[in-house]
Amino acid sequence: MTPPLVGAADIRAAAERIRPAVHRTPLLGGDGFWLKPEHRQRTGSFKARGAFNAVARLTADHVLAQSSGNHGRAVAYAAARHGLRATVVLPDTAPVLKVDAVHALGARVVVVPPALRESTTAELAARTGATVIGSADLDVIAGHGTVGAEIVADLPDVRTVLVPVCNGGLLAGVAAAVKAVSPATRVVGVEPALAGDAAESLRLGTLVRWPVEQTYRTIADGLRAPVLGEPAWRHIRVLVDDIVTVDEDSIVAAQEFLSARFGVLAEPSGAVATAAYLTGQSLGATVAVVSGGNVAATVPAGERVSVEHG
């Protein structure tokens, strides 16, 4: 039997559960364009919402996550708030800023080549018995859905919501929340053209995986996942109106626009939704989710010796 999709009741329950641990971010802007500034969120990205909701529902004492950085940081944060041990698997291309932030929250960090993230996580789970918190798990999706619920509460007339896409947990959650209240509002995913597996999946109607050698070409380090998570995909194929792509120059231009107009320092992954707006890929009153502000450092984690290597 196919598990049910996350619904409005799940998202309302998640909102109550995470209230003590996250910020309710206000919309910024006007005149037809607003930002949902999740770069102001705890841990510097929207990921705190889903991670905290998932960890709060566990009885385990050790949690495990694999991440490009922000999800791992959020799981480490949630684990620390609940007094749990955390292990985070990161790629050796992860920005030092993100690696150090995970360390600072008391998590054990294991660094591996990007192609070994999934297999290393599975091996660690089998060996340690830790509970894996996937970035597109249903409880994570419900937590991320609070982003969408807040958007439609603050701007009931929104016509288009633009959402960055990695594993798809944020897009799935936002779509579930928005469509439950405002079915006519368009929910559009945005990803780099160099990591366009989600756009291809939606176009073909079947889940497509891209090699990491392709997805790791983009500067948007938080959006390099080679495939959508299966639970997220089940939501996206039903609820999402479109997934569009933006090129690398548009991402940089969006970062500059966000800084100049709003004083927002967004990481490349956090700027892709704004890039879609600037390139004319939205209709009517638009909200772009700025998913994170953990701007990449220049030295990748693989060149540092302060982390444990897998």
Side-chain angles (χ1 to χ4, degrees):
M1 181 181 296
T2 303
L5 301 183
V6 167
D10 302 305
I11 295 168
R12 286 193 298 269
E16 290 301 315
R17 198 173 290 120
I18 70 178
R19 192 182 306 280
V22 304
H23 300 310
R24 192 193 189 289
T25 54
L27 294 182
L28 305 177
D31 297 324
F33 179 65
W34 291 261
L35 304 177
K36 181 63 170 170
E38 287 294 294
H39 67 290
R40 295 182 176 180
Q41 189 53 261
R42 298 285 179 88
T43 74
S45 83
F46 74 96
K47 295 283 191 178
R49 295 175 183 262
F52 195 89
N53 188 54
V55 171
R57 289 173 55 79
L58 294 178
T59 57
D61 63 358
H62 183 190
V63 294
L64 172 64
Q66 64 103 350
S67 168
S68 61
N70 285 343
H71 176 64
R73 182 178 181 180
V75 169
Y77 165 70
R81 291 279 302 234
H82 287 87
L84 309 181
R85 290 183 295 142
T87 299
V88 176
V89 178
L90 297 174
D92 56 15
T93 54
V96 169
L97 173 71
K98 295 183 179 181
V99 178
D100 288 347
V102 176
H103 258 305
L105 288 162
R108 174 192 175 203
V109 177
V110 179
V111 174
V112 297
L116 298 182
R117 281 168 51 180
E118 293 181 19
S119 60
T120 300
T121 303
E123 186 276 327
L124 285 170
R127 179 158 53 85
T128 66
T131 298
V132 178
I133 307 295
S135 60
D137 290 351
L138 291 178
D139 285 334
V140 172
I141 290 171
H144 294 340
T146 60
V147 174
E150 291 173 12
I151 289 172
V152 291
D154 290 347
L155 191 66
D157 295 331
V158 60
R159 290 275 313 277
T160 304
V161 180
L162 299 170
V163 187
V165 188
C166 183
N167 281 66
L170 176 61
L171 179 58
V174 169
V178 170
K179 293 297 186 178
V181 176
S182 180
T185 297
R186 287 173 52 80
V187 179
V188 178
V190 187
E191 64 183 345
L194 295 181
D197 60 286
E200 184 177 2
S201 295
L202 192 63
R203 177 171 55 82
L204 297 178
T206 187
L207 204 54
V208 174
R209 175 183 287 268
W210 282 26
V212 295
E213 292 79 14
Q214 285 184 263
T215 63
Y216 271 68
R217 296 172 299 167
T218 179
I219 59 171
D221 64 278
L223 305 182
R224 292 170 175 166
V227 65
L228 291 168
E230 193 279 331
W233 169 239
R234 289 193 289 106
H235 292 71
I236 289 166
R237 66 186 304 177
V238 173
L239 298 172
V240 170
D241 295 282
D242 198 4
I243 299 177
V244 301
T245 63
V246 291
D247 63 30
E248 302 295 286
D249 288 343
S250 297
I251 296 171
V252 173
Q255 286 182 282
E256 294 170 350
F257 170 82
L258 287 168
S259 177
R261 178 167 171 180
F262 295 98
V264 167
L265 186 61
E267 59 186 284
S269 304
V272 296
T274 300
Y277 170 77
L278 293 175
T279 54
Q281 301 188 81
S282 68
L283 298 171
T286 297
V287 174
V289 179
V290 181
S291 55
N294 295 314
V295 179
T298 57
V299 183
E303 298 178 16
R304 293 282 295 270
V305 296
S306 62
V307 294
E308 176 181 343
H309 288 258

